[in-house]
Amino acid sequence: MKQYYKLWWTLIAILAVTFGILGYVGKEVYRAAPPIPDQVVSEEGTVLMTRESILDGQTAWQSVGGMQLGSVWGHGAYQAPDWTADWLHRELVNWLDLAAQDNYGKPYDELDGAQQNALQYELKRAYRSNSFDPQTGKLVLSERRVEAIRATAGYYHRLFGDAPELQQTRSSYAMKEATLPSAERRERLTEFFFWTAWAAATERTPGEATYTNNWPHEPLIDNVPTAENVVWSIVSVVLLIAGIGGLVWAWSFARSKDEENPVAPATDPLTSFALTPSQRALGKYLFIVVALFTFQVFLGGFTAHYTVEGQGFYGIDTSKWFPYSLVRTWHIQSALFWIATGFLAAGLFLAPIINGGRDPKYQKLGVDILFWALVAVVAGSFIGNYLAIAQVMPPEWSFWLGHQGYEYVDLGRLWQIGKFTGVAFWLVLMLRAIVPALRQPGDKHLLALLTASVIAIGLFYGAGFFYGEKTHISIMEYWRWWIVHLWVEGFFEVFATAALAFIFCSMGLVSKRMATVAALGSASLFMLGGIPGTFHHLYFSGTTTPVMAVGATFSALEVVPLIVLGYEAWEHYSLKSRAPWMQQLKWPLMFFVAVAFWNMLGAGVLGFSINPPIALYYVQGLNTTATHAHAALFGVYGFLALGFTLLVLRYIRPSLLFDEKLMKTAFWWLNGGLVLMLFTSLLPVGIIQFVASASEGLWYARSEGFMQGGLLQTLRWVRTIGDVVFIVGALAVAWQVVKGLLVTDTTVPGEKVVSARAGFPEYAGETSPGFSAGAEMTAGQLADSGETR
C-alpha cells in the first residue's frame, strides 16, 4: 500500500506542477499575443482596415473550411498554400517591384545584384520595423506598402472567386470555383491574411524576433531561426537522451523486483456472470464504430486523390458538391467520432462489471439515449459542415451551426456543445457504476485511477468553450490544443492504460499490484511530458520564448516512456498463451500489440522528428506533419479503438468465433497499408518539401509550381497503392464486426454461461470454479478476494 501512496503522490505532484506551468505560461499567450490594430492606416491617414474588419475576415476564412483549406501559421491542410507564408512572399515581391520601378524605372528581376541587394536591405527595414502604436491602437503603413498590399489582395480576391485566369491554380490547390462568392467577404478575408503575414514579419521589439518567432522561413527579410530556437532544440535532444537513460535504469531495477504472474484461471472470469441489458445494447455502438471507420477510410482515399486532381475524381468534377475542404473535414471528424465511440463503448462495457455484474437503474435507457444523441451530433455536424462550405448557410450562423474552421474542432459550436453534453452524460453513466464499487472494501487504487481518467475525459473537452468565433487566433490555438493534445493524446491515453490494466487484472492474467503500479507509473510518465508538451504546437503561433522553452523541454520527455513499448507489445502478445481461453481474445490482443508498436514509431520516432523547434521551424505545415498525424492518430488511437471494439464484441456475442482469414486480412493489411501510405508517399513528399523549405522558404515548399512537379505528383499517385491495401483491411475488420453482431445469442438475460462464452462448449452450463450457482462476483471482486483461480 505504501508503494501505491508514493505513486499517487508522485502523480498528484506532477499534475499540480505541470498544470501550474500550463496555466502560468498560458497567461503569457494572452499577454503577448500579436496585437490586432484598432485601425490600419496609410501615412496620409486613410483607414485601410479595422480590428472588426480583420476579425470579420477571420470568420470568412472559418466559413470556407479554415484550416481544412490550406493553413495559417502552419496549422491546417497541406494541399493549398500556407496563406501566411504565401501572402507574405507575394507582398514582398510586389513591394520590390514597386521599389524597383520607383528607383530604377524597371522590374526588380532586371536589376543587377548590387541594386537588388540595396532594395532587399530597404525591404527588410520596412517590414521588420514595428509601426504599431499601442497607445493609439493604430498601425501606420507606408504608401508603397499599401500599394503592395492592394496588389496582393487583388490576386486573392480573384483566387477565392471564379476568375477564369486562375482556374488552373484553384485546381492545383484543390479549391472549388467561387470558394467565397461574396466580394465583400473576400475583401475581409484578404485583410485577415494580411494581418497574419504582418505578425510574421514584424519584430516585437527592435532587433529581436517577429511575433511568430521569425516563422515562416523567408530569406527576403531574414526570417531565419532565432538563437533561442537553436538552443532549446539542443536542450530537447539532450533531455531526450538523458530521459531515456534514466528510464532504462529505473525500469531495469523495477523489473528485477517484479513478482511472478499469477496462475491463469481455468476459465475467463469476465464470463462468470450474465450479460446485463446495457451491455447487450452496445452492439449498435460497435456498428457505428465500423460504419464511421469505413466512411472515414473511403473519404481518406477521396481526399488524397484531390491532391493530384484538385477539382475532380477521375474526370468527374466532384468539387461542385464535395470539395476538398469538406471531405477533409469529414475525414478528420469521422475519425474523432468513431475513435471516441470505441472508447465510450469500452467504458460502458466495464461499468456493470465494476458494479457487481449488475446495471444501475435505467442504465440501458441511458446507453440508448447516449447512442441516439451521438447519431444526432454526427449527422447535424456533417450537414452543417456541408452547408457552411457550400456558402448556403447565412454567415452569422456558420460558426454555430456550420464550421468553426479549426482543424480537429471543425464542427459547429452547437454540435460541439452537444458532443460535450454526450461525453458528460457518459461520465454520469460511468460514475453511477463506479461510485458504489469504490465504497466497497478492498484495494481500489486501480479503479480510482480509472475513475480519474473517466472524469478527465468527461470534463476536459470543455476547454473548447474558452474561445469564440472572433477570439484572437493565438488564444484560440492555446485552447484548441487542450482538446487535441491534452484531451485526446493525454487523458485518453491514461484511460486506455488504466482500462487495459483493469481488464487484464480482472482476467487474472496479471496481479493487481503489478497492474496498479504499472498504470500509476505510466500515467505519471505520460502526464510529465504530455501536459507542458502541449506548447510544442505553439512555437510559432504568436507566442514568446518561454512557450518555446517549455514546449521543447517537456515534449522531449513525452517520447521517453515510448521507448519501452516494444516490451509492452511483447507482453501483450504473450498474454494469448497464458490460458487456453485467451486464444479467443487473440485478435483484440493483436490490435493492442499494434498500438504499442505505432506508439513507439508514430508518436515517438516520427513525433520527435518534428518536435524540436529547429525541426518544426522548417517542417511545420508540410507532409512530415501528416506522416506523424496518420501514424499516431490511427496507429495508436485507431488500433486501440478497434481493439476495444473487438474485445467488447467478443463478450456481448458469447458464441462468436473470430474468422481467422478475415482477421489476418484486417490486421496485416491495415498495418501494411499504413506503412505503405507513410513511407512510399507522405514521408518522401515531406522530406522533399523540407529541403525546399530550408533552401527557399515555406512559400516555395507549398507553392503551385513546386507541388505540381513531376516527382511529387508521382509520389502522390503512389499513395493509391497504400490506400487500397488499407481499405481492404478496413473492410475486413468492418465485416468481421458486422458478422459478429449478426451472430444469434442463445443466452437469455440472467442465464449464467461461463466457458461456452469463452468458446469451450464442453463447459456449457457450468459455473466457474469458486463461484456458487446462486452468487455473482465481478472480476474486480475476484481480484480483490486475493484468490487465484
Side-chain angles (χ1 to χ4, degrees), residues 78-156:
Y78 311 104
Q79 182 62 12
D82 178 87
W83 304 116
T84 302
D86 190 69
W87 175 289
L88 178 59
H89 186 76
R90 289 179 184 278
E91 186 185 327
L92 295 176
V93 170
N94 286 330
W95 190 98
L96 287 171
D97 280 334
L98 290 168
Q101 289 290 350
D102 289 344
N103 292 340
Y104 304 106
K106 52 185 175 180
Y108 176 78
D109 288 341
E110 295 180 12
L111 303 182
D112 61 34
Q115 292 169 330
Q116 288 186 343
N117 286 339
L119 288 184
Q120 283 191 28
Y121 175 75
E122 189 179 343
L123 175 77
K124 178 182 174 182
R125 285 200 312 164
Y127 273 78
R128 294 185 69 90
S129 297
N130 195 335
S131 57
F132 172 72
D133 185 347
Q135 301 301 318
T136 64
K138 288 185 178 181
L139 170 63
V140 181
L141 302 177
S142 68
E143 293 303 320
R144 182 180 294 164
R145 186 163 185 180
V146 170
E147 287 301 311
I149 290 169
R150 285 174 179 159
T152 308
Y155 164 79
Y156 279 95

Side-chain angles (χ1 to χ4, degrees), residues 396-564:
E396 63 272 18
W397 293 5
S398 185
F399 181 84
W400 281 90
L401 296 175
H403 203 300
Q404 289 192 38
Y406 299 127
E407 194 176 28
Y408 295 104
V409 196
D410 303 276
L411 70 175
R413 176 55 56 87
L414 178 66
W415 311 114
Q416 185 184 11
I417 293 171
K419 186 174 180 179
F420 175 73
T421 303
V423 175
F425 186 59
W426 172 80
L427 170 61
V428 172
L429 293 177
M430 292 295 297
L431 290 179
R432 292 172 72 237
I434 290 173
V435 171
L438 287 172
R439 292 173 177 163
Q440 299 299 316
D443 179 359
K444 302 298 179 185
H445 289 271
L446 183 56
L447 181 58
L449 179 62
L450 181 64
T451 305
S453 67
V454 167
I455 293 172
I457 289 174
L459 298 181
F460 269 82
Y461 187 71
F465 302 130
F466 285 93
Y467 65 85
E469 181 177 3
K470 293 187 176 182
T471 297
H472 192 294
I473 193 171
S474 296
I475 295 168
M476 180 284 303
E477 283 285 64
Y478 173 71
W479 290 113
R480 182 173 76 96
W481 287 108
W482 272 61
I483 298 175
V484 182
H485 186 91
L486 274 182
W487 188 64
V488 176
E489 297 181 33
F491 295 112
F492 268 107
E493 184 88 49
V494 174
F495 171 78
T497 300
L500 286 176
F502 186 85
I503 289 168
F504 294 147
C505 171
S506 298
M507 287 177 172
L509 302 175
V510 296
S511 72
K512 173 160 283 194
R513 192 195 73 82
M514 285 179 61
T516 305
V517 168
L520 283 169
S522 297
S524 294
L525 287 174
F526 287 138
M527 295 295 97
L528 176 62
I531 294 174
T534 304
F535 286 125
H536 77 251
H537 300 284
L538 302 175
Y539 295 154
F540 313 117
S541 295
T543 57
T544 52
T545 300
V547 169
M548 184 179 294
V550 172
T553 300
F554 285 94
S555 64
L557 299 179
E558 282 186 274
V559 183
V560 170
L562 303 181
I563 66 156
V564 296

